[in-house]
Amino acid sequence: MCAKAHAAPPACKGVAVAATDNTTHARARWGLLRHLAALLGGVLAASGARAVDLPEDSGEALFHSYNGGGVSASGPALLVRKQLADKVSLSASYYVDAVSNASIDVVTTASPYSEQRTEYGLGAEYVYRDAKLSLTTTSSKEGDYTANGVGLDITQDTFGGMTSVSLGFTRSNDRISKQGAPEFADEAAHWQYRLGVTQVLSPRWVMSANAEALADDGFLGSPYRVARVFGAVVPERTPRTRSARAVKFRLIGDLGTRDAVHVDYRYFWDTWDIKAHTAEVGYSRYFGEQWLADTSLRFYRQDKALFYSDNATTETTYLSRNRQLSSFDSIGLGAKVAYKLGRIAGTSGLKLNAAYEYTRFKFSDFTDIRTGAPYAYNANVLQVYLTATF
């Protein structure tokens, strides 16, 4: 018996490419976005609303490694993009996670295990005038869990190219089984709706605001995880429905000396009574013509779910000891460097990237039953990837 946590994989990272408009204001706007995107190493792509332009023909090869809390995961990822007739861009991705799990959930209630997760993705983007339509599909599989999803996003430039508005929708379906228990089989469905606005505030500053609505239905727990009541082990019982909302604000500024800064804030709340705050500040700077360095500091704090308990004193309809539903906070420090290798072997550009993030997690009401002390651990994430444009 083992306890599992399924997490979305980190995607291959790209640099946002700004669109070109026929008006003077639009040219100034997208010139600013290109400059900021280059400085910030692609953070504009994560802001929700993006420039209406197709990505360059490119290929990326990534190796990622995670180690923390008794869990280690590593593997490769590949991403390829190709334009067709300057109107359509197609993409394909491949991602592998080889996981070795000896987390506190596993070592205190079961035995360590290893498994492999594989994900495939396909995407298409179409540009018409000042609008872009994006369609994505993903499929992942591991020993006892399969997930399939499809997403649709629309981005529209307005007000002479000074404002971008984006709408998006994702639907995914999961099938869950349990190793050693062929009689167990269940499903879960997930919906996500997105709305984003990016606004040029001045020749050097851009702001974005994004909102999300999420809904989950089906089996939302783990068939392996257990809870505790008066110290006795009982199966975890989680609700079969969940709704959540999130808002995020980002401010990006060009400081004028080949450097830039960004500040983010995100607030999340759901029907399980979880409330979470995330704040991040980052700084990027060029060193010469070939080196770009980024650094960031992120704070996160979360309140526990209504039915979470480290050691319940009464039986309730729903009960969980999943530490991801407890009260905890984290602080993360990240750094990234990118080096332009120039044109090599027929490419129009080759770039080598390396990123590292250290995060410290501290739990307020989840204890290590081996010591009785509040649980805490450190996590390390390393990514090395090569990007080639054609």
Side-chain angles (χ1 to χ4, degrees), residues 63-141:
F63 174 80
H64 66 276
S65 174
Y66 170 89
N67 188 283
V71 178
S72 62
S74 61
L78 300 173
L79 172 66
V80 178
R81 298 182 185 274
K82 176 62 179 177
Q83 285 190 23
L84 301 176
D86 297 326
K87 287 290 185 180
V88 176
S89 177
L90 303 179
S91 64
S93 62
Y94 171 72
Y95 180 90
V96 177
D97 242 345
V99 179
S100 176
N101 194 334
S103 68
I104 187 171
D105 295 318
V106 172
V107 298
T108 56
T109 61
S111 301
Y113 68 91
S114 297
E115 66 181 3
Q116 180 172 297
R117 175 181 177 272
T118 304
E119 179 180 290
Y120 299 90
L122 295 173
E125 296 176 273
Y126 173 71
V127 168
Y128 179 75
R129 294 184 179 178
D130 295 331
K132 180 168 70 174
L133 179 68
S134 303
L135 178 66
T136 59
T137 179
T138 60
S139 178
S140 67
K141 183 176 179 59

Side-chain angles (χ1 to χ4, degrees), residues 65-69 71 73 356-359 361 377-382:
S65 174
Y66 170 89
N67 188 283
V71 178
Y356 170 78
E357 183 173 5
Y358 167 85
T359 305
F361 294 89
Y377 72 94
N378 304 323
N380 299 274
V381 179
L382 174 66

Side-chain angles (χ1 to χ4, degrees), residues 14 16 41-50 198 208 210 212 248 250 252 264:
V43 295
L44 287 179
S47 64
R50 297 162 294 189
T198 294
S208 66
N210 298 274
E212 288 181 315
K248 180 179 180 180
R250 163 166 283 185
I252 308 172
D264 300 354

Side-chain angles (χ1 to χ4, degrees), residues 147-165:
N148 298 283
V150 60
L152 179 66
D153 288 272
I154 301 174
T155 303
Q156 175 71 53
D157 288 347
T158 60
F159 302 111
M162 300 297 288
T163 304
S164 281
V165 179

